[in-house]
Amino acid sequence: MNHHASDVHVLAAAYALDALDPGEREAFDVHLPGCEACRQDVADFRATAARLAASASRAAPAPMKQRTLAAVDHVRQLPPRVPAAAPVSWRGTLRRRALPVALAASLAAAASLAGLAVRQDREMRRLEQQARQSEQRLDQVGRVLAAPDARTVHGRAANGALTSVVASDRQHRAVFTAGGLPAPAPGTTYQLWLDHGGTMHPAGFISRDGTVLLDGDTAGAARVGLTLEPTGGSPQPTTAPLVLMALRA
């Protein structure tokens, strides 16, 4: 056999997958005990093949075992095949070595596509949840506006925006509406407040013209306020109120 020693190392993958011809396997068996790198490669390839097989395995249909056993009695047994000795073909071995590598690449691509599908499914679920939450809040806004005891208070903010609050005592909820609201400066946001006994409690945010349902129970609240706060909001107002509107006469 006229081959460089380095040529033998490329047989590790084919050896692990039992893809060598008898002559090639015999040559590699002689080489393997003295090569730590090849022993490690063979162990790694076998472990990878086992994981790939486990991830792709599927249970056989229940009737398959019965059909197989029933067919055994009608199949003529053939004499054992005795393979003819064949010369070691390093070029053929290299081609066979490429097969598991290509298979692993294909499986990796499939896994990547599966991961993309999972991420898309998660994003779809997140969007669906947001849509449900938006629909629920719209329903709540509609119930407040249509409540028999709903009352409306109008105001004008210090920045010129027209504001109004519609509140329902029975529902303990209130809706805030703004028109002509200037865009907040970078790093700031408009925050709403409910005044309970002189203490301002966070009641949500509004970023543009429109209508929002105030967070929190309005029972006992005297006023609704609007301030400009740092992005993310504040536990207590940090700026003078742009508008304060009484919920009760």
Side-chain angles (χ1 to χ4, degrees):
M1 232 177 280
N2 233 349
H3 303 285
H4 296 290
S6 59
D7 294 338
V8 184
H9 299 287
V10 302
L11 300 178
Y15 182 86
L17 298 175
D18 294 324
L20 293 179
D21 292 337
E24 296 168 336
R25 186 175 186 85
E26 182 179 351
F28 196 79
D29 281 334
V30 173
H31 165 77
L32 189 59
C35 182
E36 175 62 27
C38 282
R39 290 199 300 273
Q40 185 61 51
D41 285 346
V42 168
D44 290 343
F45 279 122
R46 283 175 173 168
T48 301
R51 287 195 298 270
L52 292 174
S55 65
S57 64
R58 297 179 58 187
M64 180 176 289
K65 180 178 179 180
Q66 289 78 6
R67 290 200 303 267
T68 302
L69 294 176
V72 167
D73 293 335
H74 305 286
V75 177
R76 182 172 63 87
Q77 185 174 359
L78 297 176
R81 292 184 178 181
V82 179
V88 176
S89 172
W90 301 102
R91 183 175 298 178
T93 298
L94 291 176
R95 286 198 299 269
R96 287 192 298 277
R97 181 177 181 271
L99 280 176
V101 174
L103 176 59
S106 299
L107 291 173
S112 177
L113 291 175
L116 177 61
V118 169
R119 290 193 296 272
Q120 289 177 338
D121 181 67
R122 288 175 180 170
E123 179 65 13
M124 182 63 69
R125 291 177 182 273
R126 185 183 67 82
L127 293 175
E128 288 175 351
Q129 183 178 9
Q130 287 182 348
R132 285 194 297 270
Q133 291 173 346
S134 297
E135 186 177 357
Q136 290 172 357
R137 293 184 75 84
L138 285 174
D139 289 342
Q140 292 171 336
V141 167
R143 286 197 293 270
V144 173
L145 297 178
D149 66 331
R151 60 184 182 280
T152 304
V153 177
H154 299 284
R156 181 182 289 273
N159 57 14
L162 297 176
T163 61
S164 64
V165 173
V166 179
S168 168
D169 287 339
R170 293 181 183 177
Q171 298 185 30
H172 297 174
R173 304 307 299 266
V175 169
F176 181 87
T177 300
L181 193 65
T188 63
T189 186
Y190 291 110
Q191 188 166 359
L192 294 160
W193 305 90
L194 285 172
D195 179 3
H196 287 271
T199 302
M200 304 300 284
H201 295 269
F205 303 91
I206 186 168
S207 59
R208 62 178 70 88
D209 290 351
T211 299
V212 296
L213 182 73
L214 271 68
D215 294 339
D217 192 333
T218 60
R223 297 180 297 177
V224 173
L226 178 70
T227 63
L228 195 61
E229 301 294 332
T231 299
S234 305
Q236 289 293 317
T238 62
T239 62
L242 296 171
V243 67
L244 281 172
M245 291 179 289
L247 284 177
R248 290 168 180 80

